[in-house]
Amino acid sequence: MRPVAVFLHSGAYEAVHQGLSIAASAASLGLQVELYFFWWALERLVRGPLDEPDLREEVADEMERRGVPTLRQLLEVVRGSGQARLFACSGSLAALGLAVAQVEPAVDQIV
Protein backbone atom coordinates (compact mmCIF):
# COMPACT_ATOMS: atom_id res chain seq x y z
CA MET A 1 0.00 0.00 0.00
CA ARG A 2 1.23 3.48 -0.81
CA PRO A 3 1.97 5.86 2.05
CA VAL A 4 -0.29 8.73 3.01
CA ALA A 5 1.51 11.90 1.90
CA VAL A 6 0.85 15.15 3.75
CA PHE A 7 2.24 18.39 2.34
CA LEU A 8 2.59 21.30 4.75
CA HIS A 9 3.28 24.75 3.34
CA SER A 10 1.58 27.25 5.62
CA GLY A 11 3.07 27.81 9.03
CA ALA A 12 -0.28 28.89 10.47
CA TYR A 13 -0.97 26.93 13.63
CA GLU A 14 -4.30 25.55 12.42
CA ALA A 15 -2.83 24.43 9.08
CA VAL A 16 0.09 22.58 10.69
CA HIS A 17 -2.29 21.14 13.31
CA GLN A 18 -4.58 19.81 10.60
CA GLY A 19 -1.70 18.19 8.71
CA LEU A 20 -0.26 16.59 11.83
CA SER A 21 -3.74 15.39 12.84
CA ILE A 22 -4.16 13.69 9.47
CA ALA A 23 -0.72 12.10 9.85
CA ALA A 24 -1.45 10.93 13.41
CA SER A 25 -4.77 9.44 12.33
CA ALA A 26 -3.21 7.58 9.40
CA ALA A 27 -0.34 6.31 11.55
CA SER A 28 -2.77 5.11 14.22
CA LEU A 29 -4.47 3.04 11.51
CA GLY A 30 -1.12 1.40 10.76
CA LEU A 31 -0.56 3.31 7.53
CA GLN A 32 2.83 4.62 6.49
CA VAL A 33 2.95 8.41 6.44
CA GLU A 34 5.22 10.84 4.66
CA LEU A 35 5.17 14.46 5.87
CA TYR A 36 6.71 17.07 3.59
CA PHE A 37 7.53 20.45 5.14
CA PHE A 38 7.89 23.50 2.92
CA TRP A 39 8.37 27.20 3.59
CA TRP A 40 6.66 28.49 6.74
CA ALA A 41 5.60 25.03 7.91
CA LEU A 42 9.28 24.09 7.86
CA GLU A 43 10.15 27.27 9.72
CA ARG A 44 7.55 26.48 12.39
CA LEU A 45 8.82 22.90 12.71
CA VAL A 46 12.41 24.07 13.20
CA ARG A 47 12.00 27.37 15.05
CA GLY A 48 8.60 26.93 16.69
CA PRO A 49 6.53 27.70 18.53
CA LEU A 50 5.04 24.21 18.72
CA ASP A 51 3.29 24.53 22.07
CA GLU A 52 1.50 27.86 21.78
CA PRO A 53 -1.27 28.42 19.24
CA ASP A 54 -1.10 31.74 17.44
CA LEU A 55 -4.87 31.94 17.49
CA ARG A 56 -7.26 34.35 19.17
CA GLU A 57 -6.81 34.00 22.91
CA GLU A 58 -10.33 32.69 23.52
CA VAL A 59 -9.87 30.01 20.85
CA ALA A 60 -6.51 28.94 22.24
CA ASP A 61 -7.95 28.83 25.78
CA GLU A 62 -10.89 26.71 24.61
CA MET A 63 -8.56 24.28 22.79
CA GLU A 64 -6.51 23.89 25.95
CA ARG A 65 -9.63 23.41 28.07
CA ARG A 66 -10.85 20.67 25.73
CA GLY A 67 -7.49 18.91 25.76
CA VAL A 68 -6.71 19.45 22.08
CA PRO A 69 -3.10 18.35 21.59
CA THR A 70 -0.44 20.91 20.73
CA LEU A 71 1.69 20.64 17.61
CA ARG A 72 4.51 19.20 19.71
CA GLN A 73 2.20 16.52 21.15
CA LEU A 74 0.90 15.57 17.70
CA LEU A 75 4.43 15.46 16.35
CA GLU A 76 5.44 13.13 19.20
CA VAL A 77 2.53 10.81 18.36
CA VAL A 78 3.46 10.79 14.69
CA ARG A 79 7.18 10.25 15.30
CA GLY A 80 6.54 7.71 18.06
CA SER A 81 4.30 5.60 15.83
CA GLY A 82 7.23 4.33 13.79
CA GLN A 83 4.97 4.78 10.76
CA ALA A 84 6.09 8.23 9.64
CA ARG A 85 8.97 9.90 7.85
CA LEU A 86 9.47 13.66 7.82
CA PHE A 87 11.03 15.46 4.88
CA ALA A 88 12.25 19.04 4.50
CA CYS A 89 12.38 20.87 1.18
CA SER A 90 15.95 21.95 0.46
CA GLY A 91 14.75 24.96 -1.54
CA SER A 92 12.64 26.17 1.37
CA LEU A 93 15.55 25.62 3.71
CA ALA A 94 17.73 27.88 1.58
CA ALA A 95 15.01 30.51 1.09
CA LEU A 96 14.39 30.73 4.84
CA GLY A 97 18.08 30.94 5.66
CA LEU A 98 17.99 27.76 7.72
CA ALA A 99 21.20 25.78 8.12
CA VAL A 100 21.24 22.06 7.45
CA ALA A 101 22.42 21.54 11.04
CA GLN A 102 19.28 23.32 12.31
CA VAL A 103 16.93 21.19 10.23
CA GLU A 104 18.48 17.72 10.39
CA PRO A 105 17.37 16.98 13.99
CA ALA A 106 13.75 17.73 13.07
CA VAL A 107 13.41 15.58 9.96
CA ASP A 108 14.44 12.23 8.55
CA GLN A 109 15.68 13.62 5.27
CA ILE A 110 16.23 16.86 3.38
CA VAL A 111 15.10 16.52 -0.23
Side-chain angles (χ1 to χ4, degrees), residues 23-71:
S25 296
S28 73
L29 292 171
L31 301 173
Q32 293 294 313
V33 178
E34 293 179 353
L35 283 148
Y36 295 89
F37 288 85
F38 300 88
W39 287 92
W40 299 277
L42 177 60
E43 183 175 53
R44 183 163 215 132
L45 176 69
V46 173
R47 293 183 176 150
L50 296 177
D51 294 317
E52 296 180 27
D54 51 1
L55 305 168
R56 290 189 332 260
E57 188 174 339
E58 62 270 14
V59 174
D61 290 346
E62 190 64 23
M63 288 176 67
E64 184 177 349
R65 187 182 71 71
R66 292 181 178 174
V68 176
T70 66
L71 299 180

Side-chain angles (χ1 to χ4, degrees), residues 3 10-11 16 21 31 35 51 97 103 109:
S10 171
V16 177
S21 293
L31 301 173
L35 283 148
D51 294 317
V103 177
Q109 187 175 348

